[in-house]
Amino acid sequence: MKGPIGTFNALKGSFIALLGVLLCTACGSAVSGSAAPPSSLAAGLAAPSVVAPVESSVPPPPAPSTPPPSSAGSKAKECPLPQSGFDCDFQRRFAAAQSYVAKRPGTVGIVVRDRQTGTVWRNEHAGDLTWTASTIKLAMTVDLLLRDRSGTITLSAEDRSLIKAMLHSSDDNAADTLWFKYAGADHLSFNDTFPGYGMTSLAPQRGFSSFFPYWGFQKCTPDDLDRLMTYVLTRLPADLRDYITGELRSVATNQQWGVWGAGPAARPGNKDGWSEEQGGWVMNTVGFVGPGERYTLVAMNNLRGKGGFNEGKATVTEVARLIFSGRF
């Protein structure tokens, strides 16, 4: 049995040993920074919340690069006349025709119509008053056939032969005979009805003949001839329309230019007109091309004293070729 002193010494030794352990633990914590605090401390202190950064799996956006050059320039070349409403191929063709006529003698008024869509392209000279020359014979034909159909006149076999001659070879004597016979006592029977066929700007010219108005001295615009051709194809009774389109597709060789330049695949039909008038030669063409006569074309070349028959004929024929050749 131990005495009090032994007991005291034993307790003292145990206390010293325990104190050493605590001091070493605290010392170790201070040095390493890794030991956990005693449970009594952990219970009284809230450990700070530490959130480790999360590495994103999405790669950062690439650095901005130099933007590609604008495609506006190339688009303008591909579709140079978007306001026309026609497809880009036609737009390039129109631009080519415009560039071509700008270098040719005189001025050229051009109108192209797509009868399927109703879209029309016209150049800056489409409203120019120009001598009609023989293109007015197409309007005469329309008027005579409709007057006969209504019973206002009765065309004879000879009259019909003269109409055919006007369309086939642009026979002037045939036109004279029919005009003088059917112009009426006031000479206005034809001119009074022509606006109803679309020739609203038609203007007979005084001072060139004693018989006034006379078919050979009148002026109209390309827009007038465009409306006239459209009237033929859309407003005439089917049998009269088919008669006229058949005649225009089988014109004599002296008429196979102008719209004819579109090429045989286009199955063109046209009425041409040419004459040397006050102010110089005019070379005009009006007609249709394509399946179902879908497209119409008018080109009126007022040479303004800067060229003659051959130059004008070449000009309006090339216009048709540029716009339609290879399209069908």
Side-chain angles (χ1 to χ4, degrees):
M1 172 176 193
K2 295 180 179 179
I5 296 176
T7 302
F8 172 78
N9 288 335
L11 291 173
K12 180 181 178 181
S14 298
F15 175 78
I16 292 172
L18 177 60
L19 180 62
V21 170
L22 290 174
L23 289 174
C24 285
T25 301
C27 180
S29 297
V31 173
S32 67
S34 61
S39 59
S40 58
L41 294 178
L45 299 176
S49 176
V50 179
V51 179
V54 178
E55 183 177 353
S56 173
S57 62
V58 180
S65 60
T66 304
S70 172
S71 61
S74 59
K75 184 67 175 177
K77 290 182 180 179
E78 181 183 354
C79 303
L81 297 169
Q83 70 278 8
S84 70
F86 283 82
D87 63 43
C88 289
D89 177 58
F90 265 130
Q91 292 179 39
R92 291 190 295 270
R93 290 167 179 265
F94 297 155
Q98 282 285 75
S99 297
Y100 169 73
V101 299
K103 302 171 185 176
R104 299 294 293 170
T107 57
V108 185
I110 307 171
V111 183
V112 177
R113 180 182 297 270
D114 180 345
R115 296 196 308 112
Q116 181 171 305
T117 65
T119 308
V120 180
W121 174 75
R122 50 175 57 86
N123 75 349
E124 70 274 19
H125 292 291
D128 291 0
L129 268 179
T130 306
W131 292 102
T132 64
S134 291
T135 58
I136 200 171
K137 294 170 184 171
L138 177 59
M140 289 175 62
T141 297
V142 171
D143 186 58
L144 290 167
L145 293 177
L146 286 178
R147 280 202 268 168
D148 177 77
R149 179 61 55 92
S150 69
T152 305
I153 63 173
T154 301
L155 294 173
S156 66
E158 181 183 1
D159 292 335
R160 293 182 182 278
S161 178
L162 293 172
I163 290 173
K164 183 178 180 68
M166 282 201 308
L167 297 179
H168 183 70
S169 59
S170 202
D171 190 302
D172 287 349
N173 292 328
D176 281 350
T177 300
L178 291 167
W179 189 271
F180 297 143
K181 183 176 180 179
Y182 292 111
D186 60 0
H187 304 176
L188 292 173
S189 294
F190 286 106
N191 277 85
D192 284 347
T193 57
F194 285 162
Y197 314 138
M199 302 189 75
T200 54
S201 302
L202 184 70
Q205 303 298 297
R206 292 186 177 275
F208 298 96
S209 63
S210 57
F211 194 103
F212 179 85
Y214 171 60
W215 72 264
F217 296 108
Q218 310 219 26
K219 290 184 178 181
C220 76
T221 68
D223 282 326
D224 288 319
L225 291 181
D226 165 65
R227 290 188 291 264
L228 172 63
M229 192 74 255
T230 302
Y231 186 95
V232 169
L233 297 173
T234 62
R235 302 282 300 279
L236 282 182
D239 61 324
L240 301 183
R241 179 197 65 220
D242 292 346
Y243 167 74
I244 291 177
T245 57
E247 290 297 323
L248 298 186
R249 276 200 175 99
S250 57
V251 294
T253 54
N254 73 331
Q255 296 276 293
Q256 294 179 12
W257 49 271
V259 175
W260 217 260
R267 298 193 67 225
N270 65 262
K271 181 69 196 79
D272 294 334
W274 63 96
S275 62
E276 186 174 16
E277 304 284 1
Q278 184 184 57
W281 278 85
V282 293
M283 301 295 293
N284 306 326
T285 188
V286 53
F288 52 80
V289 300
E293 302 84 43
R294 175 173 175 174
Y295 302 99
T296 60
L297 169 65
V298 180
M300 300 184 79
N301 184 194
N302 184 350
L303 286 115
R304 302 184 184 277
K306 299 178 181 178
F309 177 92
N310 291 329
E311 290 85 356
K313 177 181 177 180
T315 295
V316 296
T317 304
E318 180 65 4
V319 166
R321 189 194 71 80
L322 289 169
I323 293 176
F324 292 114
S325 180
R327 180 78 189 195
F328 308 105

mmCIF file of all heavy atoms in Angstrom, residues 34-63:
data_model
loop_
_atom_site.group_PDB
_atom_site.id
_atom_site.type_symbol
_atom_site.label_atom_id
_atom_site.label_comp_id
_atom_site.label_asym_id
_atom_site.label_seq_id
_atom_site.Cartn_x
_atom_site.Cartn_y
_atom_site.Cartn_z
ATOM 1 N N SER A 34 -1.524 20.480 -40.042
ATOM 2 C CA SER A 34 -2.350 19.439 -40.617
ATOM 3 C C SER A 34 -3.162 18.700 -39.603
ATOM 4 O O SER A 34 -4.088 17.989 -39.951
ATOM 5 C CB SER A 34 -1.474 18.436 -41.379
ATOM 6 O OG SER A 34 -0.556 17.834 -40.510
ATOM 7 N N ALA A 35 -2.795 18.817 -38.315
ATOM 8 C CA ALA A 35 -3.498 18.055 -37.295
ATOM 9 C C ALA A 35 -4.852 18.663 -36.996
ATOM 10 O O ALA A 35 -5.021 19.884 -37.035
ATOM 11 C CB ALA A 35 -2.683 18.007 -36.010
ATOM 12 N N ALA A 36 -5.826 17.858 -36.749
ATOM 13 C CA ALA A 36 -7.171 18.336 -36.455
ATOM 14 C C ALA A 36 -7.211 18.901 -35.048
ATOM 15 O O ALA A 36 -6.494 18.439 -34.172
ATOM 16 C CB ALA A 36 -8.165 17.190 -36.582
ATOM 17 N N PRO A 37 -8.019 19.901 -34.772
ATOM 18 C CA PRO A 37 -8.126 20.433 -33.412
ATOM 19 C C PRO A 37 -8.803 19.417 -32.513
ATOM 20 O O PRO A 37 -9.471 18.504 -32.989
ATOM 21 C CB PRO A 37 -8.993 21.676 -33.596
ATOM 22 C CG PRO A 37 -9.797 21.401 -34.825
ATOM 23 C CD PRO A 37 -8.936 20.554 -35.701
ATOM 24 N N PRO A 38 -8.631 19.578 -31.213
ATOM 25 C CA PRO A 38 -9.316 18.676 -30.294
ATOM 26 C C PRO A 38 -10.812 18.749 -30.497
ATOM 27 O O PRO A 38 -11.348 19.747 -30.962
ATOM 28 C CB PRO A 38 -8.916 19.208 -28.909
ATOM 29 C CG PRO A 38 -7.691 20.045 -29.148
ATOM 30 C CD PRO A 38 -7.770 20.533 -30.549
ATOM 31 N N SER A 39 -11.459 17.649 -30.084
ATOM 32 C CA SER A 39 -12.901 17.565 -30.309
ATOM 33 C C SER A 39 -13.636 18.664 -29.574
ATOM 34 O O SER A 39 -14.650 19.168 -30.037
ATOM 35 C CB SER A 39 -13.422 16.195 -29.861
ATOM 36 O OG SER A 39 -13.147 15.997 -28.501
ATOM 37 N N SER A 40 -13.145 19.092 -28.427
ATOM 38 C CA SER A 40 -13.813 20.141 -27.687
ATOM 39 C C SER A 40 -13.763 21.454 -28.443
ATOM 40 O O SER A 40 -14.695 22.254 -28.430
ATOM 41 C CB SER A 40 -13.187 20.303 -26.298
ATOM 42 O OG SER A 40 -11.815 20.601 -26.424
ATOM 43 N N LEU A 41 -12.692 21.720 -29.143
ATOM 44 C CA LEU A 41 -12.565 22.944 -29.931
ATOM 45 C C LEU A 41 -13.406 22.857 -31.189
ATOM 46 O O LEU A 41 -14.033 23.815 -31.622
ATOM 47 C CB LEU A 41 -11.098 23.188 -30.292
ATOM 48 C CG LEU A 41 -10.154 23.492 -29.114
ATOM 49 C CD1 LEU A 41 -8.713 23.661 -29.608
ATOM 50 C CD2 LEU A 41 -10.606 24.749 -28.388
ATOM 51 N N ALA A 42 -13.401 21.660 -31.787
ATOM 52 C CA ALA A 42 -14.171 21.478 -33.008
ATOM 53 C C ALA A 42 -15.649 21.692 -32.755
ATOM 54 O O ALA A 42 -16.375 22.198 -33.599
ATOM 55 C CB ALA A 42 -13.932 20.079 -33.578
ATOM 56 N N ALA A 43 -16.073 21.310 -31.532
ATOM 57 C CA ALA A 43 -17.488 21.475 -31.224
ATOM 58 C C ALA A 43 -17.856 22.923 -31.040
ATOM 59 O O ALA A 43 -18.979 23.332 -31.288
ATOM 60 C CB ALA A 43 -17.837 20.690 -29.964
ATOM 61 N N GLY A 44 -16.926 23.767 -30.602
ATOM 62 C CA GLY A 44 -17.253 25.158 -30.332
ATOM 63 C C GLY A 44 -16.980 26.094 -31.484
ATOM 64 O O GLY A 44 -17.389 27.236 -31.427
ATOM 65 N N LEU A 45 -16.252 25.693 -32.526
ATOM 66 C CA LEU A 45 -15.872 26.583 -33.644
ATOM 67 C C LEU A 45 -16.425 26.048 -34.968
ATOM 68 O O LEU A 45 -16.343 24.857 -35.237
ATOM 69 C CB LEU A 45 -14.356 26.700 -33.743
ATOM 70 C CG LEU A 45 -13.633 27.295 -32.519
ATOM 71 C CD1 LEU A 45 -12.125 27.260 -32.738
ATOM 72 C CD2 LEU A 45 -14.093 28.744 -32.290
ATOM 73 N N ALA A 46 -16.980 26.928 -35.743
ATOM 74 C CA ALA A 46 -17.456 26.525 -37.081
ATOM 75 C C ALA A 46 -16.307 26.635 -38.060
ATOM 76 O O ALA A 46 -15.689 27.679 -38.203
ATOM 77 C CB ALA A 46 -18.604 27.445 -37.536
ATOM 78 N N ALA A 47 -15.987 25.552 -38.653
ATOM 79 C CA ALA A 47 -14.874 25.554 -39.619
ATOM 80 C C ALA A 47 -15.262 26.374 -40.837
ATOM 81 O O ALA A 47 -16.396 26.338 -41.294
ATOM 82 C CB ALA A 47 -14.543 24.126 -40.040
ATOM 83 N N PRO A 48 -14.354 27.182 -41.364
ATOM 84 C CA PRO A 48 -14.673 27.988 -42.558
ATOM 85 C C PRO A 48 -14.999 27.118 -43.750
ATOM 86 O O PRO A 48 -14.420 26.069 -43.933
ATOM 87 C CB PRO A 48 -13.401 28.806 -42.775
ATOM 88 C CG PRO A 48 -12.311 28.006 -42.139
ATOM 89 C CD PRO A 48 -12.942 27.324 -40.962
ATOM 90 N N SER A 49 -15.982 27.588 -44.554
ATOM 91 C CA SER A 49 -16.378 26.841 -45.763
ATOM 92 C C SER A 49 -15.489 27.266 -46.913
ATOM 93 O O SER A 49 -15.446 28.443 -47.289
ATOM 94 C CB SER A 49 -17.843 27.153 -46.105
ATOM 95 O OG SER A 49 -18.211 26.532 -47.301
ATOM 96 N N VAL A 50 -14.753 26.336 -47.448
ATOM 97 C CA VAL A 50 -13.826 26.624 -48.548
ATOM 98 C C VAL A 50 -14.285 25.857 -49.784
ATOM 99 O O VAL A 50 -14.443 24.647 -49.721
ATOM 100 C CB VAL A 50 -12.383 26.233 -48.185
ATOM 101 C CG1 VAL A 50 -11.455 26.502 -49.339
ATOM 102 C CG2 VAL A 50 -11.945 26.969 -46.940
ATOM 103 N N VAL A 51 -14.553 26.589 -50.903
ATOM 104 C CA VAL A 51 -14.994 25.952 -52.149
ATOM 105 C C VAL A 51 -13.848 25.978 -53.137
ATOM 106 O O VAL A 51 -13.332 27.047 -53.496
ATOM 107 C CB VAL A 51 -16.201 26.687 -52.750
ATOM 108 C CG1 VAL A 51 -16.631 26.020 -54.058
ATOM 109 C CG2 VAL A 51 -17.339 26.701 -51.757
ATOM 110 N N ALA A 52 -13.423 24.821 -53.544
ATOM 111 C CA ALA A 52 -12.316 24.744 -54.508
ATOM 112 C C ALA A 52 -12.798 25.196 -55.884
ATOM 113 O O ALA A 52 -13.930 24.937 -56.266
ATOM 114 C CB ALA A 52 -11.798 23.301 -54.577
ATOM 115 N N PRO A 53 -11.986 25.920 -56.644
ATOM 116 C CA PRO A 53 -12.383 26.340 -57.994
ATOM 117 C C PRO A 53 -12.651 25.158 -58.894
ATOM 118 O O PRO A 53 -11.961 24.153 -58.829
ATOM 119 C CB PRO A 53 -11.185 27.171 -58.461
ATOM 120 C CG PRO A 53 -10.034 26.688 -57.654
ATOM 121 C CD PRO A 53 -10.608 26.314 -56.313
ATOM 122 N N VAL A 54 -13.730 25.275 -59.710
ATOM 123 C CA VAL A 54 -14.096 24.199 -60.638
ATOM 124 C C VAL A 54 -13.570 24.546 -62.031
ATOM 125 O O VAL A 54 -13.817 25.635 -62.554
ATOM 126 C CB VAL A 54 -15.622 24.026 -60.693
ATOM 127 C CG1 VAL A 54 -15.990 22.946 -61.699
ATOM 128 C CG2 VAL A 54 -16.149 23.687 -59.315
ATOM 129 N N GLU A 55 -12.850 23.651 -62.607
ATOM 130 C CA GLU A 55 -12.296 23.878 -63.946
ATOM 131 C C GLU A 55 -13.357 23.569 -65.005
ATOM 132 O O GLU A 55 -13.903 22.480 -65.056
ATOM 133 C CB GLU A 55 -11.073 23.006 -64.168
ATOM 134 C CG GLU A 55 -10.407 23.245 -65.518
ATOM 135 C CD GLU A 55 -9.154 22.415 -65.682
ATOM 136 O OE1 GLU A 55 -8.739 21.776 -64.705
ATOM 137 O OE2 GLU A 55 -8.613 22.393 -66.784
ATOM 138 N N SER A 56 -13.697 24.541 -65.879
ATOM 139 C CA SER A 56 -14.742 24.356 -66.897
ATOM 140 C C SER A 56 -14.265 23.422 -67.987
ATOM 141 O O SER A 56 -13.100 23.454 -68.390
ATOM 142 C CB SER A 56 -15.108 25.712 -67.517
ATOM 143 O OG SER A 56 -15.982 25.528 -68.594
ATOM 144 N N SER A 57 -15.225 22.588 -68.475
ATOM 145 C CA SER A 57 -14.898 21.689 -69.592
ATOM 146 C C SER A 57 -15.109 22.352 -70.945
ATOM 147 O O SER A 57 -14.812 21.771 -71.977
ATOM 148 C CB SER A 57 -15.768 20.423 -69.502
ATOM 149 O OG SER A 57 -17.132 20.772 -69.617
ATOM 150 N N VAL A 58 -15.698 23.571 -70.943
ATOM 151 C CA VAL A 58 -15.942 24.284 -72.193
ATOM 152 C C VAL A 58 -14.731 25.126 -72.546
ATOM 153 O O VAL A 58 -14.304 25.955 -71.729
ATOM 154 C CB VAL A 58 -17.177 25.202 -72.077
ATOM 155 C CG1 VAL A 58 -17.418 25.949 -73.381
ATOM 156 C CG2 VAL A 58 -18.384 24.389 -71.681
ATOM 157 N N PRO A 59 -14.140 24.949 -73.695
ATOM 158 C CA PRO A 59 -12.941 25.722 -74.037
ATOM 159 C C PRO A 59 -13.283 27.188 -74.183
ATOM 160 O O PRO A 59 -14.390 27.551 -74.566
ATOM 161 C CB PRO A 59 -12.494 25.109 -75.375
ATOM 162 C CG PRO A 59 -13.730 24.528 -75.956
ATOM 163 C CD PRO A 59 -14.531 24.052 -74.777
ATOM 164 N N PRO A 60 -12.349 28.062 -73.889
ATOM 165 C CA PRO A 60 -12.625 29.501 -74.022
ATOM 166 C C PRO A 60 -12.866 29.861 -75.476
ATOM 167 O O PRO A 60 -12.387 29.185 -76.386
ATOM 168 C CB PRO A 60 -11.336 30.145 -73.487
ATOM 169 C CG PRO A 60 -10.278 29.110 -73.702
ATOM 170 C CD PRO A 60 -10.968 27.793 -73.486
ATOM 171 N N PRO A 61 -13.661 30.936 -75.732
ATOM 172 C CA PRO A 61 -13.920 31.332 -77.128
ATOM 173 C C PRO A 61 -12.636 31.740 -77.819
ATOM 174 O O PRO A 61 -11.719 32.279 -77.187
ATOM 175 C CB PRO A 61 -14.879 32.516 -76.988
ATOM 176 C CG PRO A 61 -14.622 33.047 -75.603
ATOM 177 C CD PRO A 61 -14.256 31.859 -74.775
ATOM 178 N N PRO A 62 -12.544 31.467 -79.114
ATOM 179 C CA PRO A 62 -11.326 31.842 -79.836
ATOM 180 C C PRO A 62 -11.190 33.350 -79.899
ATOM 181 O O PRO A 62 -12.171 34.094 -79.843
ATOM 182 C CB PRO A 62 -11.544 31.249 -81.234
ATOM 183 C CG PRO A 62 -13.033 31.185 -81.369
ATOM 184 C CD PRO A 62 -13.547 30.883 -79.991
ATOM 185 N N ALA A 63 -9.993 33.774 -80.026
ATOM 186 C CA ALA A 63 -9.746 35.208 -80.149
ATOM 187 C C ALA A 63 -10.380 35.709 -81.432
ATOM 188 O O ALA A 63 -10.399 35.005 -82.442
ATOM 189 C CB ALA A 63 -8.235 35.459 -80.172
#
